[in-house]
Amino acid sequence: MEETKKLPSMWKVFLVLGGFLALAFTFTSLGITIHLAIFSGWFLAIGVGLSLGYSYQELENAITDGINNGMNAVIILLAVGALVGTWISGGVVPSIIYYGLKIIHPSIFFLATLIICTLTSLSTGTSWGAAGTAGIAMMGIGAGLGVPDPMTAGAVLSGVYFGDKLSPLSDSTILSASMSDVDVIDHVKGMFPASIVGYAITAIGFTILGFNVGGGSADLSRVNKVMNAIDSMFNVNLISLLPLVIVIALLIMEKPSIPVITFGAVLGIIWGIVFQGLEPVKAIGTAWSQIPKDTGMKFIDSILSRGGMQSMLWSVGVILFGLGFGGLLDEIGILEAIAERVEKGINSGGSLTITTIIVGFLGNLFGSAMYVSLILTPKIMEKKYDELGYDRRVLSRNTEFGGTLTSGMVPWSDNGIYMAGILGVSTLDYLPYMWLSFACIGVSIIYGFTDTFMYRADDEATDETLTV
């Protein structure tokens, strides 16, 4: 049976991928949920798989294996939903917004957002957790200062992805390293030269943007309205920041993410009862669904009414369907077939880098999940890196840039869905401001064509260059 299986021809690849994109755009334009488009895509892939000699049971197993590979992300998503819900009703997020409005000037707001989200993500190792805590708070502060939401979201995403990418605690960092057969610390060191240049470019860009957008005086009446609205609805105090400190400290101590985030949600419940005067049943219920807020200011109400596990169920559905679709694509060799066709034109570090990043992006585009991209890209590209004599650290770096940094760009991917939902800004609206992603990818491609920091497998001295 095994010998009858072969890589799909290009017309079959086009049938699956082109058919899926057509379904996605058609369903979206008609207002039909994207879940059904991805679910329909399963059967395009199953049909091609059957024609290649796979049994239906093998294809069904590929779906369940794909979903199983991403279940950690689903559990984290639900835990973060509970955390956000209890932290808003418990006064944690409102207190951060309140004090942030007091001390942050609009001209440095974007840079401050970038740095705060970077430090949160770097210390916790989770871009989702950082976006769901510091990110939501910065969106609230930005709304109070009157700066455009998509720009704030871009600064948040640039910060959380930089921190997540360079944190040894991050699951995406660990996965990229392990799939590329690289030590995690070596992987982080290998990303550093391109990442720090990209970060500097991003920081300069957001600094300039801040002076252009918020260089004048803030609308103090708007700021005061927001602060007064928060103060009237919540018991704002510095002790409300303690759950944030505790959760970050536990994650820095390398405690497991899911229990720590869940413990943070429990602290939110306690804070809601003790400091916000919520009835215990209502406080516990905010872990599932948020209590609607009515401050009289719609943009603040939309932020303070987010969170709860229930708010994540739409995203969970898309992610599960996407993971199943990604498992099918991996099983029947769709992306491998594309790579096999294009790798004949790879003859330099530059073309190798571009191809790897594109494969990583395609993993997000068609696999609908960052995990699919980070698992498939090294499997598809590793032979070419070995053939051209490049160290696996280059593979892991380009995999991370193509997988992690583009994951938030796809509206139906796990990251695109989560970030758009938690920040309240559509993917296509914040996409132009994902400056860190564009900068790091651009720097990596330049490095590829100029043979800069393109470590060779037989170069024993490269470790010294990593400390530069």
Side-chain angles (χ1 to χ4, degrees), residues 365-386:
L365 185 67
F366 298 112
S368 306
M370 180 179 67
Y371 289 93
V372 174
S373 175
L374 298 181
I375 290 170
L376 292 185
T377 303
K379 289 169 62 177
I380 292 170
M381 299 302 301
E382 61 186 3
K383 290 181 182 178
K384 201 64 182 180
Y385 279 80
D386 295 341

Side-chain angles (χ1 to χ4, degrees), residues 230-303:
I230 290 174
D231 195 33
S232 66
M233 182 166 285
F234 297 94
N235 176 16
V236 176
N237 53 69
L238 290 175
I239 201 73
S240 291
L241 305 181
L242 187 57
L244 175 64
V245 175
I246 292 173
V247 167
I248 290 177
L250 289 173
L251 290 172
I252 290 175
M253 293 166 62
E254 300 187 27
K255 302 302 180 183
S257 297
I258 294 172
V260 168
I261 293 172
T262 304
F263 177 63
V266 172
L267 291 178
I269 293 171
I270 295 172
W271 256 244
I273 297 170
V274 175
F275 296 105
Q276 305 305 324
L278 292 177
E279 297 175 5
V281 172
K282 280 191 175 181
I284 294 170
T286 60
W288 176 252
S289 62
Q290 186 57 271
I291 301 171
K293 306 296 188 299
D294 184 12
T295 64
M297 306 179 75
K298 286 187 177 181
F299 63 93
I300 289 297
D301 290 343
S302 69
I303 292 172

Side-chain angles (χ1 to χ4, degrees), residues 57 67-68 78 88 113 118 142 166 177 188 232-233 236 241 263 274 370 389 403-404:
Q57 191 59 53
I67 292 173
N68 183 61
L78 292 171
I88 288 177
T113 298
T118 295
L166 289 184
V188 170
S232 66
M233 182 166 285
V236 176
L241 305 181
F263 177 63
V274 175
M370 180 179 67
T404 303

Side-chain angles (χ1 to χ4, degrees), residues 126-149:
T126 165
S127 58
W128 285 16
T133 52
I136 284 183
M138 299 315 291
M139 292 300 298
I141 295 170
L145 294 173
V147 300
D149 286 347

Side-chain angles (χ1 to χ4, degrees), residues 343-422:
E343 72 175 6
K344 296 176 182 177
I346 299 176
N347 51 22
S348 68
S351 57
L352 182 63
T353 297
I354 289 176
T355 302
T356 305
I357 291 173
I358 289 175
V359 170
F361 174 70
L362 291 177
N364 284 312
L365 185 67
F366 298 112
S368 306
M370 180 179 67
Y371 289 93
V372 174
S373 175
L374 298 181
I375 290 170
L376 292 185
T377 303
K379 289 169 62 177
I380 292 170
M381 299 302 301
E382 61 186 3
K383 290 181 182 178
K384 201 64 182 180
Y385 279 80
D386 295 341
E387 180 184 317
L388 294 177
Y390 288 107
D391 192 274
R392 288 295 183 91
R393 287 171 295 177
V394 183
L395 169 62
S396 64
R397 179 180 72 202
N398 290 336
T399 294
E400 187 96 66
F401 286 7
T404 303
L405 292 184
T406 68
S407 58
M409 298 180 179
V410 180
W412 54 78
S413 74
D414 54 355
N415 274 253
I417 293 166
Y418 175 78
M419 294 303 178
I422 207 73

